[in-house]
């Protein structure tokens, strides 16, 4: 494609030829012929190698024959040069049945209302033409939603039954005379990509509701439905990390188009930027420079709205594997669909994706009993619940045998053919032939090749893929990206197929998507799902039941039937250790093992507070029950030897039970803190041991920490220190075992010290909960942290 020295004022046109469609710009000349380097390639033998050229001059378009053998024809006559424009049909090689190029103009609506944030609607699928045009009723308010009693019914499970209202102001149909008002919908109402509660709507503004977009045009409301057949234009993406002096490039001006209903595979050596590219394309970590156009719309600017149309299947499972396929998908549907969705509607959608992914016979099996390929299908099914238009997969065939590898890739081929754009990052090259396009990343985050898979190895000059990857590793000084940009393949598959114009850099701040305002409904679903997952985990159940009985039995044996000078402190220490181990062991793995699940659900609207509270309530209930069992096993039938047989405020056994339960709960919060801090599940067990040792050393049962600088202050942060003080105060431990250790004021048998001990456990629990809440933010998509 040759650059012209000056840009004529001729209009842009759409050319349909040989089954393909592209937008041609007056700033370029477009060569037609059988040469694969041509801009419009025609494979018919009657077409010459270099047949003709389309160019713009003096405000209009010309077609010029380049000395072809069989001629170029317009209006049935052979021409050497002829003016052409919208409506022209050009034939090459034969005036009757030769391959043709049909020229059409890009429509520009005469009346206001054209989507203002889409540069070329005709080059998109969604905004090419309205799905419906609805006259606004005479009523001043138009209600929009899924229910049949709305003025405008949108048949989409992502839409609430009564979702939003378009309210006319005093200006009536005049510009600025309407407001869009959200009615407390589950997934939100968006104006030009930004979530709104109430905002004025002007002609050209895009009102997003579910998968539909509405644009005001005079006294009509045009509806554009995202049916899934969308294109993706990636323009000059760059990502750099590190300090200014030593910034390292992870992506280097990456540009490529992805057509509608396409399957794109992204391959490349380790460190070539594949994961960085995936994060940039999904909006999870926006690029530092460049643009991603989702069917003509800026993905980063409109991320809050478009995020629900993007499915992402990470390499790790994003489901609780203890649950059955149907049950796991059912809980996911509850979280993602509006709360007013009927159970029958959710179940119908779950059954639909189960059938689509070929999981009918395995729908009632626990996910952990499925093969690797089948588990990946379940993860894909989860994303398909909301009918995303874009589906990204990260290493879906990792660890699978060649047969499963090909099965998964053919599944993705079918998903693309059904009307989605599918992009898969993979290390496997076994099934690239099923893809429409292949993107090969070179070290340094640049593009070494983009085009049909079958042309990749010939372009590199190799016969096998291992040779190509070895060359990337051994010849790192080679300018792979420069060679591709200078090749005819770049002009044919990147420049010529890019439909949207290059966007000039513009200052914009991505708007993070809001979480659901229906946190109560989310909390209830999360609690039920978590409880179901725990009850299906046999290992957890065995430990949960056995641990309090083991620790309680040890304490009971040490008591010898009565708390005396010899046994009292040992029994209380065992209760402290048992409570800490019980609570911390329950929670220390729970956040880190679900990190991938949390990241994905958070990106599509999960409330952070609802997620954390579901853990606290379910685990807290389990932990408190265990602590009660622990205390009763240890102390029932034991003479507590409290002063006068009474505790500080309540019966002694009740007071000690409350102290042990509160300590176990606080230890559980400590376990959640550890789980939020660590990166890998494997390190949680050593940290659990360390946590238990700290509790023993600083509780105050083995040696006095009073008047010991630093150690005394550190003990204030240790929950077992306060719990031991409360239990010691209940039985007046200093009376039973006089000495410097038990002379601690916190051990006194008095209301003030006992309430302080218990109150500090509550304070520590709250502080730990707040820290966990803040740490969860570190593991969320970066765009949501901005």
């Amino acid at each position: 494609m040759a650059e012209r020295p000056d840009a004529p004022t001729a209009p842009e046109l759409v050319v349909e030829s040989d089954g393909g469609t592209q937008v041609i710009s007056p700033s370029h000349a477009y060569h037609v012929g059988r040469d694969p380097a041509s801009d419009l390639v025609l494979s018919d033998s009657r077409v010459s190698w270099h047949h003709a050229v389309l160019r713009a001059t003096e405000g209009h378009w010309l077609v010029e024959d380049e000395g072809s053998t069989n001629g170029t024809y317009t209006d049935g006559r052979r021409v050497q040069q002829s003016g052409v424009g919208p409506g022209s049909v050009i034939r090459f090689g034969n005036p009757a049945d030769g391959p043709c190029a049909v020229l059409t103009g890009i429509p520009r609506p005469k009346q206001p209302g054209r989507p203002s944030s889409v540069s070329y609607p005709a080059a998109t699928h969604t905004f090419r033409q309205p799905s419906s045009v609805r006259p606004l009723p005479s009523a001043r308010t138009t209600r929009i939603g899924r229910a049949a009693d709305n003025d405008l019914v949108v048949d989409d499970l992502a839409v609430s039954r009564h979702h939003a209202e378009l309210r006319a102001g005093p200006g009536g149909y005049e510009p600025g005379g309407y407001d869009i008002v959200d009615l407390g919908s589950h997934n939100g109402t968006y104006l030009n990509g930004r979530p709104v509660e109430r905002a004025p709507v002007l002609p050209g503004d895009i009102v997003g509701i579910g998968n539909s977009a509405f644009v005001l045009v005079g006294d009509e409301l045009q509806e554009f439905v995202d049916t899934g057949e969308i294109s993706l234009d990636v323009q000059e993406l760059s990502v750099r990390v590190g300090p200014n002096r030593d910034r390292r490039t992870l992506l280097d001006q990456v540009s490529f188009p992805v057509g509608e209903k396409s399957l794109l595979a992204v391959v490349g050596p380790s460190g070539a930027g594949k994961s960085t590219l995936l994060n940039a394309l999904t909006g999870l970590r926006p690029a530092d420079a460049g643009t991603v156009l989702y069917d003509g719309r800026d993905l980063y600017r409109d991320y809050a709205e478009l995020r629900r149309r993007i499915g992402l299947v990470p390499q790790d499972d994003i489901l609780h594997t203890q649950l059955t396929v149907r049950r796991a998908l059912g809980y996911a549907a509850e979280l993602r669909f509006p709360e007013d969705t009927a159970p029958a509607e959710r179940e119908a959608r779950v059954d639909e994706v189960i059938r689509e992914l070929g999981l009918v016979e395995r729908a009632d099996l626990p996910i952990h009993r499925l093969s690797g390929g089948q588990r990946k299908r379940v993860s894909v099914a989860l994303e398909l619940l909301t009918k995303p238009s874009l589906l990204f997969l990260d290493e879906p065939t990792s660890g699978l045998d060649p047969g499963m590898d090909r099965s998964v890739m053919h599944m993705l081929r079918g998903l693309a053919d059904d009307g989605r754009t599918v992009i898969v990052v993979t290390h496997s090259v076994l099934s690239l032939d099923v893809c429409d396009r292949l993107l090969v990343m070179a070290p340094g985050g640049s593009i070494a090749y983009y085009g049909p898979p079958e042309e990749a190895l010939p372009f590199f000059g190799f016969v096998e893929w291992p040779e190509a990857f070895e060359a990337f590793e051994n010849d790192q000084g080679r300018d792979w990206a420069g060679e591709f940009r200078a090749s005819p393949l770049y002009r044919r598959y990147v420049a010529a197929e890019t439909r949207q114009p290059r966007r000039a850099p513009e200052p914009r701040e991505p708007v993070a998507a809001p979480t659901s305002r229906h946190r109560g409904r989310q909390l209830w679903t999360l609690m039920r799902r978590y409880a179901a997952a725990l009850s299906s985990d046999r290992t957890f159940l065995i430990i949960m039941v056995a641990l309090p009985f083991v620790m309680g039995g040890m304490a009971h044996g040490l008591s010898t039937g009565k708390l005396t000078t010899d046994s009292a402190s040992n029994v209380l220490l065992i209760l402290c250790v048992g409570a800490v181990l019980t609570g911390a062991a329950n929670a220390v793995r729970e956040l880190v093992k679900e990190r991938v699940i949390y990241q994905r659900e958070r990106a599509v609207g999960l409330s952070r507070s609802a997620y954390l509270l579901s853990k606290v309530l379910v685990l807290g209930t389990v932990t408190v029950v265990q602590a009660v069992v622990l205390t009763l096993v240890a102390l029932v039938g034991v003479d507590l030897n409290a002063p006068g047989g009474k505790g500080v405020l309540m019966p002694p056994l009740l007071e000690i039970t409350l102290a042990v339960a509160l300590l176990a709960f606080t230890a559980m919060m400590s376990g959640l803190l550890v789980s939020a801090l660590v990166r890998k599940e494997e390190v949680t067990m050593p940290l659990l041991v360390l946590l238990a040792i700290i509790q023993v050393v600083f509780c105050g049962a083995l040696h006095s920490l009073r008047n010991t600088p630093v150690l005394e202050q550190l003990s204030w942060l240790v929950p077992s220190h306060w719990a031991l003080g409360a239990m010691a105060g209940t039985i007046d431990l200093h009376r039973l075992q006089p000495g410097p250790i038990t002379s601690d004021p916190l051990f006194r048998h008095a209301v003030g010290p006992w309430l302080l001990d218990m109150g500090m456990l509550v304070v520590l629990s709250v502080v730990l909960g707040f820290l966990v809440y803040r740490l969860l933010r570190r593991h969320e998509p970066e765009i949501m942290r901005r």
Side-chain angles (χ1 to χ4, degrees):
M1 189 186 297
E3 293 284 347
R4 296 180 60 81
D6 56 345
T9 58
E12 289 186 327
L13 298 177
V14 177
V15 180
E16 298 183 28
S17 63
D18 204 17
T21 302
Q22 72 178 86
V23 177
I24 60 174
S25 168
S27 61
H28 299 286
Y30 295 82
H31 293 273
V32 184
R34 290 203 333 274
D35 183 358
S38 299
D39 301 298
L40 277 72
V41 180
L42 303 175
S43 57
D44 195 291
S45 61
R46 293 170 292 180
V47 177
S48 297
W49 193 254
H50 298 121
H51 196 107
V53 63
L54 273 166
R55 61 166 50 95
T57 180
E58 297 180 356
H60 65 279
W61 285 89
L62 291 175
V63 60
E64 298 177 3
D65 189 84
E66 292 193 307
S68 66
T69 302
N70 295 319
T72 301
Y73 302 85
T74 62
D75 297 327
R77 58 186 180 87
R78 184 166 184 167
V79 297
Q80 183 60 37
Q81 183 183 84
S82 176
V84 292
S88 296
V89 177
I90 310 169
R91 289 198 176 270
F92 306 94
N94 188 289
D97 61 355
C100 69
V102 180
L103 305 183
T104 57
I106 297 179
R108 296 288 189 267
K110 296 181 180 179
Q111 52 187 331
R114 174 175 167 266
S116 56
S117 57
V118 183
S119 299
Y120 290 95
T124 73
H125 186 277
T126 303
F127 294 98
R128 195 171 300 165
Q129 60 182 8
S131 306
S132 64
V133 178
R134 312 186 187 215
L136 289 170
S138 56
R140 311 298 287 180
T141 298
T142 302
R143 192 168 62 186
I144 305 171
R146 200 176 77 252
D149 61 349
N150 288 285
D151 302 301
L152 200 161
V153 178
V154 180
D155 186 16
D156 182 353
L157 281 181
V159 177
S160 297
R161 295 182 65 82
H162 299 116
H163 196 105
E165 288 182 347
L166 190 66
R167 297 178 183 174
Y173 293 131
E174 296 300 317
Y178 279 93
D179 283 354
I180 186 68
V181 181
D182 185 79
L183 299 179
S185 65
H186 180 86
N187 289 325
T189 301
Y190 301 86
L191 183 64
N192 297 323
R194 294 176 178 257
V196 295
E197 299 290 336
R198 178 172 187 150
V201 181
L202 300 176
D205 287 344
I206 296 177
V207 176
I209 295 177
N211 289 318
S212 296
F214 299 91
V215 180
L216 274 177
V217 181
D219 59 353
E220 295 178 336
L221 195 62
Q222 295 186 355
E223 181 181 12
F224 302 86
V225 179
D226 184 345
T227 59
E229 298 180 26
I230 62 99
S231 61
L232 195 71
D233 284 286
V234 180
Q235 301 180 357
E236 305 294 333
L237 293 188
S238 295
V239 175
R240 294 177 177 83
V241 296
N244 291 333
R245 291 183 180 179
D246 303 311
R247 288 181 72 78
R248 186 163 60 96
T249 299
L250 301 183
L251 282 186
D252 189 10
Q253 295 186 326
V254 171
S255 299
F256 59 91
V258 186
E260 303 162 6
K261 301 172 66 174
S262 292
L263 174 57
L264 166 67
V266 181
V267 301
S270 297
K274 300 187 297 297
S275 296
T276 304
L277 176 64
L278 183 69
N279 288 334
L281 296 182
T282 55
L284 298 182
R285 198 288 186 191
D288 300 321
T291 306
V292 179
L293 294 180
Y294 175 105
D295 218 26
R297 298 181 66 180
D298 189 324
L299 175 64
Y300 296 162
R301 184 191 60 206
D302 297 351
Y303 174 78
E305 176 186 351
L306 299 179
R307 59 170 178 147
R308 296 186 183 276
R309 307 182 195 179
I310 298 174
L312 172 61
V313 180
Q315 186 172 348
D316 297 323
D317 290 322
I318 52 176
L319 290 160
H320 293 82
T321 58
Q322 303 93 335
L323 302 178
T324 65
V325 173
R326 189 184 306 279
R327 200 170 187 184
L329 294 178
Y331 285 126
E334 284 190 47
L335 289 173
R336 299 194 181 195
F337 292 143
E339 67 285 348
D340 57 17
T341 305
E345 292 178 291
R346 290 196 303 267
E347 291 168 7
R349 181 59 189 151
V350 168
D351 289 339
E352 187 179 346
V353 297
I354 286 176
R355 288 194 301 271
E356 186 175 2
L357 273 299
L359 294 166
V360 174
E361 296 180 356
R362 298 168 180 84
D364 296 312
L365 288 177
I367 297 172
H368 66 81
R369 290 178 54 187
L370 304 180
S371 66
Q374 292 164 352
R375 287 168 69 166
K376 192 59 62 177
R377 286 175 179 264
V378 179
S379 294
V380 174
L382 168 64
E383 293 301 308
L384 294 187
L385 284 172
T386 53
K387 299 184 178 180
S389 302
L390 265 177
L391 182 62
F392 293 88
L393 300 99
D394 188 10
E395 301 288 355
T397 61
S398 177
L400 302 184
D401 61 59
M404 281 292 183
D405 181 302
R406 191 153 187 85
S407 174
V408 170
M409 292 301 291
H410 275 281
M411 172 192 71
L412 301 181
R413 174 72 267 169
L415 294 177
D417 292 338
D418 285 343
R420 303 176 187 89
T421 299
V422 182
I423 299 177
V424 52
V425 174
T426 180
H427 277 105
S428 174
V429 294
L430 297 177
S431 303
L432 297 180
D433 58 302
V434 305
C435 302
D436 298 295
R437 289 289 183 265
L438 173 65
L439 172 63
V440 182
M441 300 290 293
S446 57
I447 294 182
Y449 172 82
Y450 181 84
E454 63 271 14
E455 297 184 33
L457 284 174
F459 170 74
F460 291 125
F462 297 110
V463 178
E464 302 290 341
W465 277 107
E467 298 174 325
F469 286 111
E470 189 176 39
F472 285 132
E473 184 69 26
N474 297 334
D475 198 359
Q476 296 188 8
R478 183 173 173 181
D479 186 8
W480 299 94
E483 292 179 17
F484 176 64
R485 280 182 176 269
S487 71
L489 297 180
Y490 176 84
R491 296 193 293 273
R492 180 177 180 185
Y493 296 121
V494 177
E497 291 187 1
T498 297
R499 297 189 175 187
Q500 293 289 329
R502 289 277 185 246
R503 290 281 184 94
E506 59 181 61
R508 64 173 182 266
E509 187 65 27
V511 177
T515 56
S516 173
R517 67 201 81 182
H518 302 281
R519 293 181 178 86
R521 174 62 181 268
Q522 283 193 353
L523 174 61
W524 176 236
T525 301
L526 290 168
M527 288 176 60
R528 288 166 40 236
R529 183 181 70 178
Y530 188 41
L534 288 181
S535 62
S536 301
D537 188 338
R538 292 184 179 180
T539 302
F540 177 83
L541 287 176
I542 292 172
I543 295 174
M544 180 184 70
V545 172
L547 186 58
F549 281 98
V550 171
M551 299 300 295
M554 292 171 57
H556 191 88
L558 287 173
S559 70
T560 63
K562 183 177 181 179
L563 298 186
T564 64
T565 300
D566 296 328
S567 63
S569 62
N570 291 331
V571 170
L572 298 186
L573 178 60
I574 292 294
L575 288 176
C576 283
V577 173
V580 168
L581 285 177
T582 298
N586 285 345
V588 76
R589 296 169 54 248
E590 294 308 300
L591 297 182
V592 65
K593 77 177 183 181
E594 289 187 4
R595 187 154 295 160
V596 176
I597 298 175
Y598 173 71
Q599 288 172 337
R600 182 60 195 139
E601 292 184 339
R602 178 72 174 138
V604 293
L606 180 69
S607 164
R608 190 195 321 164
S609 58
Y611 176 77
L612 177 56
L613 196 55
S614 71
K615 298 292 184 188
V616 171
L617 292 178
V618 174
L619 281 178
T621 300
V622 171
T623 299
V624 168
V625 170
Q626 287 177 294
V628 171
V629 172
L630 166 65
T631 310
L632 294 180
V633 169
L635 299 181
V636 167
V638 175
D639 183 359
L640 300 182
N641 204 5
K646 298 180 180 179
V648 177
L649 292 173
M650 294 171 280
L653 181 59
L654 179 57
E655 285 188 2
I656 293 177
T657 301
L658 288 176
V660 173
L662 197 49
L663 173 59
F665 185 89
T666 310
M668 180 208 72
M669 299 303 297
S670 300
L672 289 177
L673 179 65
V674 171
S675 195
L677 280 170
V678 300
R679 295 183 178 274
K680 295 182 179 179
E681 190 176 343
E682 293 79 6
V683 303
T684 57
M685 288 301 108
L687 290 176
L688 174 62
V689 174
L690 178 61
L691 186 63
I693 292 174
I694 291 174
Q695 301 293 327
V696 172
V697 171
F698 285 93
C699 71
L702 301 180
H703 54 85
S704 176
L705 299 175
R706 292 180 61 209
N707 303 318
T708 306
V710 180
L711 292 182
E712 181 180 11
Q713 287 70 41
L714 286 176
S715 70
W716 298 344
L717 303 177
V718 177
S720 61
H721 176 68
W722 304 99
L724 182 67
M727 290 188 286
T730 294
I731 64 172
D732 195 2
L733 185 61
H734 184 64
R735 175 180 58 86
L736 297 176
Q737 295 180 335
I741 293 179
T742 59
S743 63
D744 192 319
L746 294 177
F747 290 9
R748 287 191 299 118
H749 184 77
V751 174
W754 190 85
L755 290 177
L756 176 62
D757 292 330
M758 299 295 282
M760 282 302 300
L761 288 172
V762 174
V763 170
L764 286 174
S765 295
V766 172
V767 171
L768 289 168
F770 175 76
L771 292 176
V772 174
Y773 180 80
R774 297 297 298 173
L775 286 170
L776 280 175
R777 188 172 180 270
R778 295 192 316 165
H779 306 297
E780 295 172 359
E782 182 173 326
I783 193 169
M784 301 192 76
R785 302 200 300 268
R786 294 190 174 186

